[in-house]
Amino acid sequence: NIRKKEKEGRGEIKKLDDFKIIKSIDEEIKDKKIDAEEDKEKIYKYIEISAIDKERGFIIKGEWEEAKRDELPSRAKLLIKQNDLLFSMPFRSLKKVAIVPDELNGHLASNGFYGIRPKDYKEACLLWAIFRSNLIQKQLYHLSSGYTQRGLSDEHLKEYLIIKEEI
């Protein structure tokens, strides 16, 4: 019975009401949650992977660009909200895990991040600690693939990252 339950959970991300994978801004506009015309004029703050302090795991204040979306790099894709958990996909930056602060709520992050939207700050802190732990970092290290630019792929994350109801 236990083996059957283990097999059922493999190979998919279980999306719960409490946890969601962060959508790109294009998906949000398509879903009509953002007015496309209003979006063209909005000034966004944008963070890249280099804005995260690898040793302490937070976004360095002021280490972001501010511009209209069409003036930002093409990788400015993730629409982030306060308490989102961001973790880096490139191999050399796996330890770059951070919680989005209030001042970046509704702004953009690089698509070099993978993001999870927990239900509150407590869960964000728990996930932050889990993703920065040596155990999970070693697993992410072994999941990384590629020759020229090694890193985590969406396919690997969807296959191996299972978000359960009980953490």
Side-chain angles (χ1 to χ4, degrees), residues 1 9 137:
N1 213 3
Q137 284 294 308

Side-chain angles (χ1 to χ4, degrees), residues 23-141:
K23 289 184 175 184
S24 76
I25 188 160
D26 295 322
E27 290 173 301
E28 292 284 349
I29 289 171
K30 202 182 294 179
D31 291 346
K32 306 257 191 253
K33 293 178 184 165
I34 295 175
D35 184 295
E37 290 303 314
E38 195 176 293
D39 177 62
K40 288 180 185 176
E41 297 304 313
K42 182 176 178 179
I43 301 293
Y44 284 100
K45 292 176 183 173
Y46 164 68
I47 61 162
E48 293 202 19
I49 293 167
S50 61
I52 294 185
D53 183 301
K54 187 176 188 176
E55 299 304 316
R56 292 173 275 174
F58 64 85
I59 299 169
I60 303 165
K61 196 173 189 99
E63 286 290 315
W64 49 71
E65 293 180 49
E66 289 189 44
K68 291 180 182 176
R69 195 167 82 123
D70 61 346
E71 296 168 354
L72 291 170
S74 61
R75 59 189 176 278
K77 298 274 188 211
L78 293 184
L79 184 62
I80 55 177
K81 294 188 178 176
Q82 181 180 5
N83 297 332
D84 283 350
L85 181 82
L86 299 175
F87 61 96
S88 173
M89 294 196 305
F91 174 73
R92 296 201 183 275
S93 303
L94 290 176
K95 195 83 174 177
K96 292 195 173 198
V97 180
I99 298 170
V100 174
D102 180 44
E103 61 206 322
L104 292 173
N105 188 41
H107 292 277
L108 298 173
S110 168
N111 62 355
F113 289 113
Y114 200 76
I116 297 173
R117 183 158 293 148
K119 70 178 176 185
D120 58 24
Y121 182 70
K122 280 184 183 180
E123 281 190 359
C125 289
L126 177 63
L127 288 170
W128 177 86
I130 290 169
F131 274 88
R132 284 186 54 87
S133 72
N134 285 336
L135 176 66
I136 297 301
Q137 284 294 308
K138 285 178 184 177
Q139 290 177 9
L140 294 176
Y141 173 86

Side-chain angles (χ1 to χ4, degrees), residues 134-152:
N134 285 336
L135 176 66
I136 297 301
Q137 284 294 308
K138 285 178 184 177
Q139 290 177 9
L140 294 176
Y141 173 86
H142 288 292
L143 283 176
S144 297
S145 62
Y147 293 104
T148 56
Q149 199 165 356
R150 191 171 175 190
L152 295 171

